Amino acid sequence: MVKDRKFIFFMILPSFLFISIVTFLPAIRSIFMAFQDYNMYFLTKKFIGFKNFTDAFADPIFVQALKNTMIWVLLSLLLQFILGFSLALLLRKPFKGRGIYTALVFYPWAVSGFVIGLQWRWMFHGSAGVINDLLLKIGLIKERIAFLSDPHYALYSAIVANIWYGVPFFAIMLLAALQSVPQELYEAAKIDGANVFRQFSNITIPYVKPVIVNTTLIRFIWIINFPDIIFSMTNGGPAGSSHILSTLLISKVYNEYNYGVASAIGVVIMLILVTYAYLYLKFSHVEGGF
C-alpha cells in the first residue's frame, strides 16, 4: 500500500511541478508586483503597499473599464447563451443538410479571436463597412455611423462581434447535453398530456442543468479574460471608452511599462473571478460541478 502511494506520488510529481512553474509561480509573483512600484521605463522596483490599487481606482479610465467589463461580460454571456441554446434545440433533431449547417454554425469557434476582431472591424467601418450599408438599405439609419470611433457605439460594436464568436461554444456543449436526454421521457410525457413547455421545463432543463452551470461559469471566466476582439477592433479607444480590465492591463504593460499597476488590475480581475465562481457554485446547487 505504501509502495503504491509512493509510486502515485512520483508519477504525479512532474505534472505538479510543471503546473506550479508555469501557473502558480507567475500568479504569486504578479501578486507581489501589485504592491511594488515596478516600472520598466523608469527602472523602479520598491515596495509601496496599496498605492497601485489606490492609483488604479482613482483613474477614471480604470473606473470606466470596470463598468465596461460588467457590461461586456453580462451582455455577451446572456446573449451567447440564449442564441447558443436556441441553436442547440434546432440542431437536436435530424434534417437534410444538418451536417453542413452545423459546420457553418460552428465555424467561428475555429477562428482566432484577433482574426474575428479584424473581420468585424472592417464590417463596422464608418465609410466602407457592410453594417452601415445594410442599415441604410433597410432604413434604420439615415447617415453612416462611425461605430468604432464613437464612444457611444465602440464597446457595443465589440460586444456584437463577441456574441457572434461565442455562440458556437454554447451550441456545441448544449447540443451534446440535449442528445443525452432519454427520448423515452418525452414519449411518456406526451402520453401524460404534457405540452412542449412542460417537457422543456420538467425534462430538458433538469437534465442539462449541470452543463448549463459549468459552461456559463467557464464562459464567464473566458469572456472577462478575452481582450482579443476589443484590442483588434478599437484598441480600447476612442479615449479609453471601450477598455475592459484585461485590455487596460495589457495597455499598462505595453504602452506605459507599468507592471505594478498592471499587476494590481490583474489582482482585481482574479478577486472578481474567485468571488463569482464561489457564489455561482454555492447558489447553483449542482451535483458534479467543479
Side-chain angles (χ1 to χ4, degrees):
M1 189 66 180
V2 175
K3 287 184 179 180
D4 290 341
R5 288 180 177 177
K6 286 184 178 179
F7 176 75
I8 294 171
F9 172 76
F10 284 112
M11 289 298 290
I12 65 173
L13 184 60
S15 300
F16 177 76
L17 291 176
F18 178 77
I19 293 172
S20 299
I21 291 171
V22 301
T23 303
F24 297 132
L25 287 181
I28 294 170
R29 181 74 183 108
S30 67
I31 292 173
F32 277 111
M33 288 170 64
F35 296 94
Q36 292 178 320
D37 179 14
Y38 200 118
N39 193 307
M40 296 299 289
Y41 186 79
F42 298 106
L43 297 177
T44 54
K45 186 180 176 182
K46 60 182 179 182
F47 181 77
I48 56 172
F50 287 91
K51 189 174 185 305
N52 285 328
F53 293 93
T54 56
D55 288 348
F57 279 95
D59 185 354
I61 293 181
F62 174 83
V63 177
Q64 181 66 47
L66 191 59
K67 293 177 182 175
N68 288 346
T69 301
M70 297 298 109
I71 297 171
W72 164 259
V73 172
L74 292 177
L75 283 181
S76 298
L77 185 65
L78 180 63
L79 293 175
Q80 284 178 7
F81 172 75
I82 293 173
L83 295 174
F85 203 173
S86 302
L87 271 175
L89 290 170
L90 291 173
L91 294 172
R92 180 175 53 171
K93 294 182 179 179
F95 57 88
K96 189 176 182 180
R98 173 181 160 181
I100 298 174
Y101 186 74
T102 304
L104 291 173
V105 168
F106 294 161
Y107 153 75
W109 195 244
V111 183
S112 161
F114 275 105
V115 175
I116 296 294
L118 292 174
Q119 290 176 343
W120 280 89
R121 181 176 180 171
W122 172 80
M123 293 171 67
F124 275 113
H125 195 277
S127 58
V130 68
I131 302 291
N132 269 311
D133 290 337
L134 291 173
L135 295 177
L136 283 170
K137 285 182 179 178
I138 60 178
L140 286 180
I141 59 175
K142 294 182 178 178
E143 59 183 16
R144 291 183 173 275
I145 299 174
F147 288 103
L148 302 182
S149 57
D150 188 322
H152 297 99
Y153 297 110
L155 177 64
Y156 295 99
S157 301
I159 288 174
V160 170
N162 192 34
I163 291 168
W164 181 82
Y165 181 63
V167 165
F169 170 76
F170 280 111
I172 294 169
M173 301 301 289
L174 293 172
L175 178 60
L178 288 172
Q179 289 174 337
S180 68
V181 181
Q183 292 301 312
E184 294 80 5
L185 294 178
Y186 293 109
E187 294 169 3
K190 288 178 183 177
I191 293 172
D192 292 339
N195 57 27
V196 175
F197 178 76
R198 288 288 300 275
Q199 293 176 33
F200 181 75
S201 60
N202 293 341
I203 298 174
T204 305
I205 292 296
Y207 255 88
V208 301
K209 183 180 176 183
V211 177
I212 292 174
V213 171
N214 290 333
T215 52
T216 49
L217 176 60
I218 291 172
R219 195 67 191 138
F220 181 96
I221 295 170
W222 283 353
I223 291 173
I224 205 171
N225 286 313
F226 186 57
D228 307 35
I229 288 178
I230 290 180
F231 233 86
S232 54
M233 287 183 70
T234 67
N235 198 18
S241 61
S242 64
H243 264 310
I244 60 173
L245 290 179
S246 55
T247 58
L248 183 61
L249 184 155
I250 295 173
S251 176
K252 292 291 181 185
V253 171
Y254 289 103
N255 297 334
E256 302 177 19
Y257 305 105
N258 195 335
Y259 285 71
V261 173
S263 298
I265 296 172
V267 170
V268 172
I269 294 174
M270 185 174 66
L271 290 175
I272 292 172
L273 291 176
V274 170
T275 304
Y276 170 80
Y278 173 76
L279 294 176
Y280 191 78
L281 292 178
K282 181 178 177 63
F283 293 107
S284 58
H285 303 294
V286 174
E287 294 181 2
F290 293 115

